[in-house]
Amino acid sequence: MTNSSPWRATVLTLFPEMFPGPLGVSLAGRALASGLWQLEARDIRASATDRHRSVDDTPAGGGPGMVLRADVLAAAIDAAEIGQDPSKERPRLLMSPRGRPLTQARVMELAQGPGPLIVCGRFEGIDQRVIDARGLEEVSIGDYVLSGGEIAALALIDACVRLLPGVMGKEASGTEESFSGGLLEYPQYTRPQLFEGVPIPEILTSGDHAKVASWRRAQSEALTEARRPDLWAQIPPKPPNRPRRQKTPKNKTDG
Ligand code: SAM
């Protein structure tokens, strides 16, 4: 990627006024204003062809709610891709509760590319034929159902944008976070030294960087084991001579 073609998110939505929304403030907002990334929110309804500008219809086979029409959405996707350099194909995502759960690894891949086209569903969902015909990758942000894909798209874009070069003050802040090494992040502390009678763990103010690093690693391991057995199961077992993990502070674990 060069400065002449910054990372770009194109969002197809029935509610373009929801963008940039929270992405217009703080880190992402400053980066947007300074041209480190671009955002294009396109109204799916602009591709409706009947005089009522309808975008949805009743589900084939019956059932509650409405379904986003394949022809309207396909036209919206095609219109968004007019003039796109075919050698720089962008990922086409569909925010969907039945998609693959979004991971930090996928976020990193997306942040390294040209930026995705993101379809936000509404109603009961989207006609399957357009998902297949346009090769949409279904992405979920969690095992719960939102009323539309916009909030999910905002979350995905935010996760990508903060990894773009120049967006975070300190580049290293992205590499030590939760998930980047397969573990959750260790607990953080700052001033005051004593808060409601609880001091900052002594080791963090010792100035011994090696000990701090090993304490943090132990804390990360303890948190991951307690809270996310799914992630913990993927961490290779320790060599037998490795020092035992230190205990996590009581208020920092769930279990
Ligand atoms: N009937 C669908 C189902 O049971 O899978 C749920 C549709 S939901 C009310 C409407 C839209 O919200 C979806 O098409 C999707 O775009 C978005 N959405 C809802 N939950 C989501 C999640 N967990 N992750 C990503 N997108 C989600």
Side-chain angles (χ1 to χ4, degrees), residues 52-138:
H52 301 295
R53 304 205 81 84
S54 21
V55 294
D56 58 332
D57 213 324
T58 51
M66 302 295 273
V67 176
L68 201 49
R69 287 170 55 139
D71 54 346
V72 176
L73 186 54
I77 294 170
D78 297 345
E81 291 183 342
I82 287 174
Q84 185 174 294
D85 180 347
S87 69
K88 291 188 187 141
E89 212 172 273
R90 307 165 68 196
R92 292 183 190 139
L93 312 181
L94 166 63
M95 304 319 298
S96 163
R98 64 178 201 192
R100 278 221 181 88
L102 185 62
T103 61
Q104 189 66 8
R106 184 69 183 120
V107 165
M108 283 171 168
E109 283 171 7
L110 290 169
Q112 278 159 16
L117 178 138
I118 306 172
V119 175
C120 300
R122 279 273 157 181
F123 319 120
E124 283 309 311
I126 288 176
D127 189 310
Q128 183 63 39
R129 292 170 295 176
V130 69
I131 300 176
D132 298 336
R134 294 297 179 274
L136 302 182
E137 171 191 339
E138 295 186 61

Side-chain angles (χ1 to χ4, degrees), residues 13-14 16 42-49 53-55 72 75-76 79:
T13 169
L14 288 170
R42 299 177 66 102
D43 192 349
I44 295 171
R45 202 174 290 279
S47 297
T49 50
R53 304 205 81 84
S54 21
V55 294
V72 176

Side-chain angles (χ1 to χ4, degrees), residues 162-215:
R162 59 195 296 283
L163 298 182
L164 299 177
V167 172
M168 275 196 276
K170 193 171 163 240
E171 298 287 339
S173 17
T175 59
E176 274 200 19
E177 289 178 319
S178 292
F179 312 116
S180 46
L183 295 171
L184 302 180
E185 195 186 54
Y186 46 80
Q188 300 274 15
Y189 299 85
T190 185
R191 286 186 290 185
Q193 220 292 326
L194 201 62
F195 168 68
E196 297 186 351
V198 182
I200 294 174
E202 215 177 308
I203 203 158
L204 296 180
T205 50
S206 67
D208 185 331
H209 298 305
K211 278 192 181 154
V212 168
S214 118
W215 182 88

